[in-house]
Amino acid sequence: MAKSSVNIDAQCREILSDVRAGRFSPVYLLMGDEPYYPELICDEILKCCIPEEEKDFNETVCYGGDVTADQVVTAARRFPMMAERQLVVVKEAQQMKGIEDLSYYCADPLDSTVLVVLMHGASADKRKAFYKAAAKIGTVVDSPALRDYMIPDWIISHFSSRGMQIDPQAAALFAESAGTSLSTIVVETDKLTKALPEGVRRVTVEDIERNVGISRQFSVFELTKELSFKNSAKALKIAAHLGDGARFAMPMAVSALYMHFNRILRYGALLARGGQPSAEDKARALAGVNPYFYKEYDTAVRNYPLRKAMAAISLLCEYDYLGKGGDGSTVVSDGELLVELTAKLLNL
């Protein structure tokens, strides 16, 4: 998992532990392109901060499009009614007018108020007063979006946190089906685990195929593998099947293939230096690849040495342009483009 992903996951676990133990910051600024962690923390604060019998008088939840910063400050400066603390939560805070004025409250927050500012898929300006004031006296969570290649490792980690194991190939296939939204992955994980026989703690490719509705045989993940080994018949069959799918989008397929050949190029450049590469160098060249798949790349660099890997990347840039309608023509379908691209990659 990428360093930023590891850090945000560890930070989230620490914050959740504090919240469940009744330890709260005066201000929480929860933001970032990936909303999963900010929303998870906000939900836990709502669950734990105010006892159920006190919520009517001491819990205020509002939305940024419905309030101003002045109204939020006024609510935050109220004292709790016959209770230890009050909670003020602003959801969709990126829509709030004058959000920078919250910096005045952060300069002198009330000890008996917990203020949560939740921004959905957006972030406060780190150069401005509100972010700086919130970071100084409270807790800031800045949750970055994960790149495509980070998702399988995140899935493996998520299953591990639930006391389960998922095979690397199964995680890659699951990622292809679920996409990059962590919230969606969590929901799909819940569905999958409920569908598994009681007591199953290890998830295999067969479990994904049986319960998620995606076939390993006809996936982009399998296409990259067959291209690595230059198995022409299988690669072309997969490309044709993928291209016929109702949900197929050429840019997404090209993105996955570009990432694959970029790794082949980096790994080939590492091996071209001579000597036995260290584990650290290998991990850097194959960033985002589970060590389980390293042997595939040993074969791929033989089939696509540096010159051919660079030619592959050039082809992918060309077909990315075509797949986005760059030539102004709609005569050739996305599926036909993928088959054509696959044939050219095999012939390098």
Side-chain angles (χ1 to χ4, degrees):
M1 208 181 304
K3 185 174 185 292
S4 60
S5 174
V6 172
N7 287 347
I8 189 68
D9 191 68
Q11 182 192 18
C12 181
R13 286 199 304 270
E14 184 177 344
I15 293 170
L16 292 177
S17 177
D18 284 343
V19 166
R20 289 162 186 160
R23 296 187 294 269
F24 299 96
S25 290
V27 175
Y28 292 88
L29 172 56
L30 310 176
M31 64 183 199
D33 293 331
E34 172 48 66
Y36 172 71
Y37 287 110
E39 291 180 355
L40 183 66
I41 293 168
C42 184
D43 288 345
E44 198 66 21
I45 293 172
L46 282 165
K47 178 181 175 183
C48 299
C49 188
I50 306 298
E52 196 64 38
E53 64 274 11
E54 298 177 4
K55 286 182 180 289
D56 287 344
F57 297 105
N58 294 304
E59 181 177 283
T60 302
V61 179
C62 54
Y63 290 83
D66 300 329
V67 294
T68 64
D70 285 345
Q71 289 173 315
V72 172
V73 171
T74 298
R77 291 207 179 280
R78 286 199 300 261
F79 288 97
M81 185 174 293
M82 295 181 291
E84 179 184 355
R85 68 174 70 93
Q86 71 150 343
L87 172 65
V88 178
V89 177
V90 186
K91 296 186 174 184
E92 302 283 354
Q94 73 278 2
Q95 298 178 7
M96 184 168 59
K97 293 181 180 179
I99 191 170
E100 283 301 311
D101 290 343
L102 294 181
S103 62
Y104 301 123
Y105 173 78
C106 292
D108 185 24
L110 213 60
D111 291 340
S112 56
T113 293
V114 175
L115 172 62
V116 179
V117 180
L118 174 64
M119 306 181 78
H120 184 85
S123 296
D125 192 330
K126 295 180 180 179
R127 300 166 298 178
K128 294 187 176 180
F130 172 49
Y131 174 86
K132 292 178 180 178
K136 184 177 181 180
I137 59 96
T139 297
V140 174
V141 174
D142 186 2
S143 179
L146 270 64
R147 300 285 186 88
D148 291 0
Y149 69 83
M150 301 176 183
I151 298 299
D153 278 352
W154 193 90
I155 290 171
I156 290 172
S157 176
H158 180 62
F159 271 79
S160 178
S161 72
R162 300 174 65 133
M164 299 183 69
Q165 178 186 352
I166 182 169
D167 293 346
Q169 285 182 311
L173 193 62
F174 192 36
E176 190 171 325
S177 171
T180 59
S181 166
L182 300 189
S183 296
T184 300
I185 291 170
V186 171
V187 170
E188 292 301 318
T189 300
D190 289 339
K191 291 180 184 177
L192 173 63
T193 53
K194 288 175 182 176
L196 293 173
E198 189 175 350
V200 170
R201 310 312 298 167
R202 179 186 170 211
V203 178
T204 65
V205 168
E206 289 72 24
D207 292 320
I208 301 298
E209 290 179 317
R210 188 163 47 248
N211 295 292
V212 178
I214 184 171
S215 170
R216 162 184 44 179
Q217 186 179 359
F218 299 112
S219 65
V220 175
F221 167 70
E222 197 68 14
L223 176 60
T224 61
K225 176 184 173 183
E226 300 304 342
L227 284 168
S228 292
F229 289 96
K230 284 206 168 182
N231 291 331
S232 299
K234 287 186 177 180
L236 289 168
K237 183 179 179 181
I238 293 168
H241 189 277
L242 283 172
D244 283 340
R247 294 166 54 187
F248 175 71
M250 186 65 176
M252 291 181 64
V254 171
S255 175
L257 291 168
Y258 181 90
M259 191 183 305
H260 181 66
F261 279 96
N262 190 42
R263 288 169 178 155
I264 294 172
L265 179 62
R266 292 201 310 265
Y267 189 40
L270 173 64
L271 297 180
R273 297 178 194 169
Q276 182 67 27
S278 68
E280 292 77 11
D281 287 340
K282 203 167 185 177
R284 277 194 292 270
L286 297 175
V289 177
N290 190 291
Y292 179 90
F293 300 110
Y294 281 0
K295 287 185 178 179
E296 176 187 328
Y297 284 88
D298 289 330
T299 301
V301 294
R302 291 194 294 271
N303 285 327
Y304 297 94
L306 292 178
R307 180 180 60 80
K308 290 187 177 182
M310 287 188 286
I313 288 174
S314 178
L315 264 176
L316 288 163
C317 291
E318 176 188 344
Y319 276 79
D320 182 56
Y321 176 73
L322 295 174
K324 293 173 180 174
D327 64 347
S329 172
T330 57
V331 175
V332 180
S333 69
D334 277 3
E336 291 171 320
L337 280 176
L338 181 63
V339 172
E340 186 179 291
L341 170 61
T342 301
K344 289 183 178 181
L345 290 169
L346 289 164
N347 286 322
L348 288 174

